[in-house]
Amino acid sequence: MSSSPVSTSAAAQPYGRPLRTVHVLGDGAGAGSCTHVRSLATGLAARGVRVTVCAPVHAEGEYDFTGAGAEFAPDAVSVLRAACAGADVVHAHGVKAGLRAALAIRGRRVPLVVTWHGDGPTVHGALGRLSRMLERRVARAAAVVLGASSDLVDLARQRGARDARLAPVAFPAAPEGMSDPGKVRAELGVVERPLLIAVGSLVAHRGYSVLLDAAREWRALEPAPLLVIAGEGPLRAELARRIEAEGLPVRLLGRRRDAAQLLAAADLAVLPSRWEAPALLAQEALRVGVPLVATAVGGVPELVGEGAVLVPPGEAGALASAVTGLLADPARRADLAAAGRVQAATWPSEDDTVAQVLSVYDELMERHR
């Protein structure tokens, strides 16, 4: 949601020797992995590490990796191979990017690090078998797999990773005082009614069909809360038809660059996913003290601890009940907001994340001397 620069601490020391790294993002990389790469690029470049980011051109336009101090290269196969040829370490983000990076460095003594952010929900049948095959290939090709949550570390080990470690992903905090929540709410027409927000691409695993089912249940409230969904994707037309046909108090906002401002103005944030890596929305909601209702899937429970209300995935009744219960209980919302801030204080900082990644690079450089 936010692509603001990482705040490198004054204590950050320059890296002690020349180091060239290439970070690889595949087509379809999500906001979480792109934001993480920008954060790493900023922190590494501030320490004197040479960083090249190979990613789709649209990702450079949205996340401005060059503005973070990195060199940018389009993710064409020939460009990726050329960039990796001069690297000391190649660091891919996601299984698909890991496969492309492994192919790019095949036959070269360049260590590969792969961060598993989680590429999607478990699938079955032929597609599931192909997905597991790709995971095994990438896990075995990587010198080190960094899992953004414990379940991803376990999965990498199951797929044959030689070295899999937990490496929580730190995202930059949205700047304080960046907007007037009252003005945001007025623009959305929710001055006298609750505002709920969900953020993420309009794809099946985000669980928006279940979220609309829940919205049908809470539309009878007085006043009825307005749910806004910031994101774009292939399910937009289908969701829009349902909203209109059923008269749901839901508004599709499309892709928004001010999602953090929208979140800060909301009464509740909702994360209804059927599957989720450590979610950017969850991190930002807890940091700014917006109560969160989320599904207990993937890395979410580990991330939020006691700082959110968790419900089973796919259960609209449980989701609707959690939302209506919080809307009716201001004291519970205040307690949850406070618990969220406490939980957020336990997360590693961006500097911590950069330091951990650099320590991995150090190990690999020593191995390959």
Side-chain angles (χ1 to χ4, degrees):
M1 287 167 57
S2 171
S3 59
S4 57
V6 62
S7 54
T8 53
S9 70
Q13 297 296 316
Y15 191 65
R17 58 189 176 195
L19 180 66
R20 297 163 297 171
T21 66
V22 174
H23 290 255
V24 184
L25 283 163
D27 189 31
S33 54
C34 289
T35 303
H36 175 55
V37 169
R38 191 184 197 281
S39 172
L40 281 181
T42 309
L44 292 170
R47 290 161 172 80
V49 176
R50 180 176 171 184
V51 181
T52 299
V53 176
C54 287
V57 172
H58 68 81
E60 164 63 10
E62 184 167 355
Y63 293 93
D64 187 22
F65 302 115
T66 54
E71 299 174 29
F72 174 74
D75 63 341
V77 173
S78 59
V79 176
L80 177 59
R81 284 187 60 83
C84 292
D88 296 305
V89 178
V90 174
H91 189 159
H93 298 265
V95 173
K96 295 176 183 177
L99 179 63
R100 298 186 76 244
L103 293 173
I105 63 174
R106 187 167 53 185
R108 299 169 177 167
R109 293 189 72 254
V110 180
L112 174 63
V113 178
V114 181
T115 294
W116 283 25
H117 299 267
D119 282 4
T122 301
V123 292
H124 304 284
L127 190 58
R129 290 191 294 273
L130 175 61
S131 176
R132 290 188 290 275
M133 181 186 72
L134 294 179
E135 289 170 352
R136 285 193 295 270
R137 184 166 181 179
V138 171
R140 293 168 182 174
V144 177
V145 174
L146 301 176
S149 57
S150 296
D151 62 312
L152 294 173
V153 175
D154 293 340
L155 178 61
R157 289 172 178 158
Q158 292 169 16
R159 298 293 187 256
R162 293 168 284 168
D163 185 343
R165 311 179 192 183
L166 180 63
V169 172
F171 295 121
E176 296 183 4
M178 58 188 173
S179 66
D180 177 359
K183 181 178 179 182
V184 172
R185 293 176 67 92
E187 290 172 352
L188 293 172
V190 288
V191 176
E192 301 295 336
R193 60 193 292 202
L195 175 63
L196 316 179
I197 184 169
V199 180
S201 54
L202 307 184
V203 294
H205 83 262
R206 295 290 183 189
Y208 290 131
S209 61
V210 175
L211 184 57
L212 295 192
D213 291 340
R216 190 168 55 221
E217 296 191 30
W218 67 56
R219 66 182 172 182
L221 296 177
E222 184 59 45
L226 174 67
L227 168 67
V228 296
I229 302 175
E232 194 53 83
L235 293 183
R236 182 183 180 91
E238 176 184 329
L239 296 174
R241 282 194 296 271
R242 275 199 62 187
I243 292 167
E244 182 176 2
E246 299 174 31
L248 301 177
V250 180
R251 189 178 305 167
L252 300 178
L253 301 181
R255 186 183 297 275
R256 296 286 292 249
R257 300 187 68 87
D258 62 344
Q261 290 93 322
L262 294 171
L263 174 63
D267 296 288
L268 289 178
V270 188
L271 186 67
S273 305
R274 298 201 324 249
W275 167 90
E276 193 65 66
L280 183 54
L281 172 65
Q283 290 205 24
E284 291 198 347
L286 268 61
R287 276 176 173 159
V288 299
V290 175
L292 172 69
V293 177
T295 45
V297 295
V300 173
E302 181 179 14
L303 177 70
V304 303
E306 299 297 318
V309 173
L310 297 178
V311 299
E315 296 190 13
L319 183 60
S321 177
V323 168
T324 55
L326 283 174
L327 290 177
D329 191 344
R332 171 64 176 142
R333 292 203 306 274
D335 289 344
L336 199 61
R341 290 192 177 98
V342 170
Q343 177 69 10
T346 69
W347 298 334
S349 68
E350 292 179 90
D351 281 337
D352 294 335
T353 301
V354 172
Q356 182 182 15
V357 167
L358 268 176
S359 71
V360 172
Y361 296 169
D362 268 334
E363 288 182 39
L364 296 175
M365 295 293 288
E366 290 296 328
R367 289 185 206 171
H368 286 76
R369 276 187 168 184

